[in-house]
Amino acid sequence: MSETLRSREEIPQEYKWRLEDIFASDQDWETMFSETEKMIGLSAKYQGQLAGGADIFVECMEWADRFSLNLEELFTYARMRRDEDNRISRYQGMTDRATMLSVQAGSALSFIVPEILAIPDERFSEIRQDERLQIYHHYLENILRQKQHVLSLAEEKILAETGELASAPSTIFSMANDADLKIGPIKDEEGREIELTKGNFIRYMESKDRRVRQDAFTTMYAAYGKQINSWAAMLGASVKADVFYARVRHYDSAIQSALDDDKVPLSVYDALIQTVHDYLPQFQRYIQLRKKVLGVTELHMYDIYVPFVPEMDTHIPFEEAKSIAREGLKPLGEEYLDILDEGFRSGWIDIYENIGKTSGGYSWGTYSSHPYVLLNHQNTLDSLFTLAHEMGHSLHTYLSNKNQTHLYAGYKIFVAEVASTLNESLVMRHMINASNDSKMKAYLINHYLEQFRGTVFRQTMFAEFEKEIHAAAERNESLTADYLSEIYRDLNLKYFGSDIVLDEQINMEWTRIPHFYNAFYVYKYATGFSAATALAQQIVQEGEPAVQRYLAFLSSGGSDYPIELLRQAGVDMEKPEPVKQALDVFVELLDQLEKLVSE
């Protein structure tokens, strides 16, 4: 019997998110779209007037905020509808229209920052004395600190108009990767032909049957390899856009430009890479243990996902995953659990994979709506942790929206990954401590070590890859498919060492990583994981005081710089200690696993 994906219509309604909580109908979306289009014309009312006094300044800020909120709702709804089934042209069109409107809005709003910076210091200080502007203190301070990188009004307007062009590589990648790419069939453990998808790929890479793992691996990369030059052109164009914007804004490099948005010094990025390098011998020790436990003469890249204890049954249906996640998150207190329960029962989550649905998982939503979670649940342990991870994001969003104005509700990615990975850490601690079976405990520890591999070591390797290819573009070198594959292979060799066979297919893994289209994003997974590990330890050891600090952190949104928010929560990311603490936990777990598998 062939296993095929269901269509969207075949998925029961109770397993789908409720986007009607944003717009009751597509017509309501159209109504807001028309109203928002009209708001563009108001820019003429405020342009050139901000030095006139607090009244016009506040009115302009409120218009800009409402404008931004409308755009957020329009784009989010359209894109999430498209994500339900990327083949539907109606939602492709609505997403494109929302994107174009956002570009037009960016142009209409582009005068604000240059005009603020052009106000004479004495006059600006006078305007800021008005108590209605106190809410804008952090917003204005952040503008002033980046003054040297803000261009003239005319130049900012031109840059705003290029927004759609700059997003083209990511848009093309998304359509090629999610809507058009056909991977092909493989045979599962029982010899049944199944359709390999990006959503079920990891499930088959975790198969106990090595033949299935190898088939999934080779079939996946054969599909990407057929278009490798196209993927290289997409990624190269994205990198060149990053470099262009950094140069135009007078940054020394694209990475400096990307980090400055969070006010993160380059030393944090470099220290992460260096600290992870220091622990690579321990990571390679883990790879050696994997080879030993699996009992293979050669460890291949398609062997790195399969659990150490292959006979353990980890089939976890969604309802069970919810129950386990809730139990693991009990240390966060009743307030947190009440919101979690609301999310589970109130149409926040789109659970199962269907034809055309965007792969992976994410948390999204708007300031005016509850959060939403996209999943492609596969009844695996990974799917359980994806649920805990994305609900961490969603509760961060919920508490920030509840406690901050729209201006400050949005939080930076640098802190976002703390909320998600802390949830994973607490759920994993719970499962390990609750298990009395040495084999299950070994399995869970192995899975936790895999989270370190995927979130700290792998994402740091990605961060190195991004740094190198952007530096190459800044040297005016061509980012060909061969060059990108060579860089990627060298990094795999550095990280994994000589105890693994670097199958040639892994050279092209960069072709399928969507995060590379959001420059210098992935390092935040590693720093976030490190901060989350430290905070989880504090919550377990200190109890209520640490919980209250953490809930205050989740409620802070973007009201301060990310490093400051984390410092207030209890970790200082300007020091190497959080990364070291996380990797020390990796070493401790590895020691435990070595003992368990030798029993």
Side-chain angles (χ1 to χ4, degrees), residues 45-302:
K45 176 181 178 180
Y46 303 114
Q47 188 169 337
Q49 304 301 314
L50 296 188
D55 288 345
I56 193 71
F57 197 103
V58 170
E59 188 178 326
C60 178
M61 292 298 101
E62 291 176 347
W63 160 75
D65 189 59
R66 182 68 227 178
F67 200 3
S68 298
L69 180 56
N70 282 12
L71 291 164
E72 174 186 308
E73 293 185 341
L74 289 167
F75 182 80
T76 302
Y77 176 85
R79 179 57 189 265
M80 287 200 296
R81 281 296 188 200
R82 195 188 89 179
D83 286 344
E84 292 176 343
D85 186 343
N86 282 276
R87 303 169 304 162
I88 298 177
S89 59
R90 174 176 180 80
Y91 295 118
Q92 291 175 12
M94 287 171 62
T95 300
D96 289 344
R97 288 168 60 203
T99 300
M100 289 186 286
L101 183 61
S102 295
V103 172
Q104 293 169 357
S107 178
L109 294 166
S110 63
F111 74 91
I112 294 177
V113 172
E115 194 164 318
I116 288 174
L117 293 176
I119 299 173
D121 292 345
E122 185 175 343
R123 177 57 175 157
F124 193 39
S125 178
E126 180 183 333
I127 292 172
R128 290 182 67 185
Q129 296 304 310
D130 191 289
E131 64 179 14
R132 292 173 296 172
L133 285 170
Q134 293 307 303
I135 187 63
Y136 298 102
H137 176 76
H138 177 63
Y139 167 78
L140 295 173
E141 285 298 318
N142 196 36
I143 289 174
L144 292 173
R145 77 173 179 85
Q146 295 178 305
K147 186 172 184 176
Q148 63 180 311
H149 304 297
V150 177
L151 308 181
S152 69
L153 176 60
E155 290 169 325
E156 287 291 340
K157 188 174 181 64
I158 292 171
L159 283 187
E161 294 285 356
T162 67
E164 190 174 1
L165 295 176
S167 66
S170 177
T171 300
I172 295 168
F173 173 83
S174 179
M175 296 308 297
N177 192 48
D178 293 321
D180 295 337
L181 183 69
K182 303 300 180 186
I183 297 171
I186 63 170
K187 290 186 177 180
D188 67 9
E189 293 85 350
E190 286 74 42
R192 298 174 302 181
E193 186 172 282
I194 60 96
E195 179 184 350
L196 187 66
T197 68
K198 295 182 294 297
N200 66 22
F201 174 61
I202 295 300
R203 187 198 339 170
Y204 292 109
M205 288 291 284
E206 292 176 343
S207 173
K208 303 169 188 177
D209 188 328
R210 201 179 193 203
R211 190 270 307 164
V212 173
R213 301 198 300 270
Q214 184 176 7
D215 286 353
F217 182 80
T218 55
T219 300
M220 173 66 78
Y221 287 108
Y224 280 91
K226 291 175 182 177
Q227 300 167 241
I228 191 168
N229 292 304
S230 296
W231 303 119
M234 294 176 214
L235 183 55
S238 182
V239 171
K240 289 173 184 176
D242 299 333
V243 172
F244 166 77
Y245 283 109
R247 285 175 174 168
V248 167
R249 292 197 177 280
H250 311 300
Y251 284 100
D252 293 335
S253 63
I255 188 172
Q256 184 194 42
S257 174
L259 297 183
D260 191 46
D261 188 47
D262 290 338
K263 200 184 176 184
V264 172
L266 182 57
S267 59
V268 171
Y269 196 100
D270 290 338
L272 167 68
I273 293 174
Q274 183 55 57
T275 304
V276 169
H277 283 181
D278 292 341
Y279 281 79
L280 284 180
Q282 298 296 334
F283 177 64
Q284 290 163 13
R285 177 180 149 216
Y286 170 61
I287 297 302
Q288 292 164 5
L289 180 62
R290 170 171 287 279
K291 180 179 180 181
K292 176 183 176 182
V293 174
L294 290 178
V296 295
T297 55
E298 288 186 343
L299 186 74
H300 286 258
M301 296 302 293
Y302 49 79

Side-chain angles (χ1 to χ4, degrees), residues 272-471:
L272 167 68
I273 293 174
Q274 183 55 57
T275 304
V276 169
H277 283 181
D278 292 341
Y279 281 79
L280 284 180
Q282 298 296 334
F283 177 64
Q284 290 163 13
R285 177 180 149 216
Y286 170 61
I287 297 302
Q288 292 164 5
L289 180 62
R290 170 171 287 279
K291 180 179 180 181
K292 176 183 176 182
V293 174
L294 290 178
V296 295
T297 55
E298 288 186 343
L299 186 74
H300 286 258
M301 296 302 293
Y302 49 79
D303 295 319
I304 62 175
Y305 289 95
V306 62
F308 274 10
V309 189
E311 65 270 22
M312 299 305 296
D313 180 12
T314 58
H315 181 79
I316 306 175
F318 184 71
E319 291 300 320
E320 184 180 351
K322 287 196 302 184
S323 177
I324 293 172
R326 190 186 192 282
E327 191 68 24
L329 296 174
K330 279 187 175 180
L332 294 176
E334 289 302 319
E335 178 185 353
Y336 191 94
L337 292 178
D338 287 346
I339 302 168
L340 184 72
D341 290 339
E342 180 182 344
F344 284 160
R345 66 173 180 262
S346 301
W348 290 20
I349 310 173
D350 203 82
I351 301 168
Y352 295 114
E353 186 177 16
N354 58 253
I355 297 171
K357 184 177 177 181
T358 292
S359 61
Y362 63 64
S363 172
W364 206 0
T366 74
Y367 183 73
S368 301
S369 76
H370 57 73
Y372 288 89
V373 171
L374 179 140
L375 300 176
N376 284 274
H377 192 80
Q378 299 290 329
N379 296 338
T380 64
L381 197 60
D382 272 330
S383 290
L384 161 63
F385 284 106
T386 298
L387 172 64
H389 181 104
E390 299 303 343
M391 290 305 288
H393 285 310
S394 285
L395 267 74
H396 191 179
T397 297
Y398 181 95
L399 287 167
S400 290
N401 287 352
K402 181 180 179 181
N403 291 282
Q404 300 293 330
T405 65
H406 178 245
L407 180 66
Y408 295 131
Y411 46 81
K412 297 290 188 179
I413 295 172
F414 191 91
V415 296
E417 295 309 321
V418 174
S420 55
T421 52
L422 183 138
N423 274 19
E424 291 189 69
S425 177
L426 289 177
V427 172
M428 178 57 78
R429 284 169 183 259
H430 159 68
M431 295 183 73
I432 291 174
N433 292 335
S435 176
N436 295 317
D437 185 312
S438 61
K439 288 184 178 180
M440 178 58 78
K441 194 179 290 286
Y443 181 90
L444 291 170
I445 292 175
N446 173 220
H447 193 278
Y448 200 6
L449 291 173
E450 279 297 287
Q451 290 181 300
F452 276 91
R453 180 187 67 79
T455 308
V456 180
F457 292 102
R458 178 176 170 83
Q459 301 300 330
T460 303
M461 187 184 81
F462 284 174
E464 267 199 89
F465 179 71
E466 284 193 301
K467 186 178 181 182
E468 176 55 38
I469 64 176
H470 280 80

Side-chain angles (χ1 to χ4, degrees), residues 471-509:
E474 287 162 349
R475 297 191 297 266
N476 296 317
E477 296 177 10
S478 181
L479 301 183
T480 64
D482 287 345
Y483 176 81
L484 293 168
S485 296
E486 179 183 355
I487 294 297
Y488 202 82
R489 180 178 181 81
D490 289 346
L491 285 169
N492 271 280
L493 182 60
K494 178 192 292 184
Y495 277 69
F496 283 94
S498 59
D499 282 288
I500 193 168
V501 176
L502 289 180
D503 304 279
E504 63 177 344
Q505 289 91 343
I506 203 64
N507 300 353
M508 67 179 80
E509 187 181 34

